[in-house]
């Protein structure tokens, strides 16, 4: 699939300190965040190229709010060995963007409280208002929030592209299966280089 940049939004999912920093919450829980940290270092160049081509960039950040923790979510978090407020608590240091990630003027910002960037947020309305019917999903984690967002985008009849080299994770075994499944059923799996080359041809 080829979609013009002016119809494209790049969704940057959960590139926050708790997921990317060696001193963040996920690392403290024993997760290996090196893939996410390395991704944070490579994203700025890609986002600059996306903006230059005419893509809209939307930063989507996870935020855990005590008043939004249901019994089901409490039980699921406890089953994973943590509190539902232990990662990306609203207003915390860990909820901030990872070091080196600096939004540009004109970028959009959304806060989500669930895995999917479409649940409980105005993302779909934003995309319609900006005339964007194609989303490029980058960020972390491939098997959780990226997965949930891509599925919901596809179910909302949006075209979806996933550059596999710009998707992070803390569990390689789960991420690999998720990426292969997403690329078969829900989106086009490609690379950032192929996307940038396509935008250059458009220009």
């Amino acid at each position: 699939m080829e979609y013009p940049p002016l119809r494209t939004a790049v969704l940057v999912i959960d590139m926050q300190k708790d997921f990317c920093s060696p001193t963040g919450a996920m690392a403290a829980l024993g997760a290996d965040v090196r893939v996410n940290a390395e991704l944070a270092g490579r994203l700025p160049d890609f986002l600059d190229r996306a903006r230059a081509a005419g893509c809209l960039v939307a930063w989507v950040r996870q935020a855990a709010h005590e008043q939004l923790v249901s019994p089901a979510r409490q039980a699921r978090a406890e089953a994973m060995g943590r509190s539902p407020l232990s990662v990306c608590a609203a207003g915390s240091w860990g909820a901030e963007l990872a070091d080196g990630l600096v939004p540009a003027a004109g970028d959009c910002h959304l806060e989500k409280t669930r895995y999917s960037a479409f649940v409980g947020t105005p993302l779909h309305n934003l995309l319609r208002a900006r005339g964007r019917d194609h989303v490029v999903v980058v960020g972390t984690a491939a098997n959780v929030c990226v997965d949930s967002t891509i599925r919901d985008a596809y179910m909302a009849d949006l075209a979806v592209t996933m550059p596999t080299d710009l998707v992070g994770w803390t569990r390689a075994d789960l991420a690999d299966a998720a990426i292969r499944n997403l690329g078969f059923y829900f989106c086009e799996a490609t690379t950032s280089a192929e996307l940038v080359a396509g935008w250059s041809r458009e220009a």
Side-chain angles (χ1 to χ4, degrees), residues 6-37:
L6 292 177
R7 289 170 52 190
T8 298
V10 179
L11 308 183
V12 186
I13 307 297
D14 292 359
M15 290 301 294
Q16 295 159 270
K17 290 178 178 176
D18 268 352
F19 296 116
C20 301
S21 171
T23 58
M26 289 301 294
L29 290 165
D32 185 349
V33 300
R34 286 176 296 178
V35 170
N36 292 337

Side-chain angles (χ1 to χ4, degrees), residues 7 16 23 88 103 149 167 174 194:
R7 289 170 52 190
Q16 295 159 270
T23 58
C88 291
T149 297
V167 173
L174 299 179
E194 289 174 339

Side-chain angles (χ1 to χ4, degrees), residues 5 26 41-42 52-53 64-65 79 86 88 94 114 120 137-138 163 165 173 180:
M26 289 301 294
R42 290 188 289 107
H65 294 266
S86 62
C88 291
R114 298 295 184 263
V137 183
V138 302
D165 58 314
D173 55 335
R180 286 187 284 111

Side-chain angles (χ1 to χ4, degrees), residues 48-73:
D48 284 344
R49 292 172 183 269
R51 294 184 191 99
C55 299
L56 176 70
V57 173
W59 299 86
V60 184
R61 308 187 206 191
Q62 184 72 21
H65 294 266
E66 184 174 6
Q67 62 268 34
L68 297 178
V69 176
S70 67
R73 288 178 64 82

Side-chain angles (χ1 to χ4, degrees), residues 45-127:
D45 179 67
F46 173 77
L47 295 177
D48 284 344
R49 292 172 183 269
R51 294 184 191 99
C55 299
L56 176 70
V57 173
W59 299 86
V60 184
R61 308 187 206 191
Q62 184 72 21
H65 294 266
E66 184 174 6
Q67 62 268 34
L68 297 178
V69 176
S70 67
R73 288 178 64 82
Q74 179 76 36
R76 190 70 249 138
E78 290 175 355
M80 291 187 286
R82 62 177 186 248
S83 161
L85 301 177
S86 62
V87 179
C88 291
S92 70
W93 171 88
E96 297 173 2
L97 288 176
D99 291 342
L101 296 179
V102 180
D107 289 354
C108 296
H109 302 269
L110 294 161
E111 179 184 279
K112 65 181 177 66
T113 61
R114 298 295 184 263
Y115 290 152
S116 171
F118 287 90
V119 174
T121 78
L123 177 55
H124 205 175
N125 289 339
L126 170 67
L127 295 173

Side-chain angles (χ1 to χ4, degrees), residues 97-185:
L97 288 176
D99 291 342
L101 296 179
V102 180
D107 289 354
C108 296
H109 302 269
L110 294 161
E111 179 184 279
K112 65 181 177 66
T113 61
R114 298 295 184 263
Y115 290 152
S116 171
F118 287 90
V119 174
T121 78
L123 177 55
H124 205 175
N125 289 339
L126 170 67
L127 295 173
R128 283 200 298 262
R130 298 297 186 94
R132 311 286 168 152
D133 58 359
H134 171 228
V135 293
V136 174
V137 183
V138 302
T140 198
N143 55 300
V144 189
C145 295
V146 168
D147 182 291
S148 298
T149 297
I150 287 176
R151 288 169 183 260
D152 280 355
Y154 175 76
M155 294 301 178
D157 293 326
L158 295 166
V160 189
T161 299
M162 173 182 57
T164 57
D165 58 314
L166 294 181
V167 173
W169 62 82
T170 58
R171 286 280 304 271
D173 55 335
L174 299 179
D176 180 64
I179 289 170
R180 286 187 284 111
N181 189 60
L182 288 169
F184 188 81
Y185 285 105

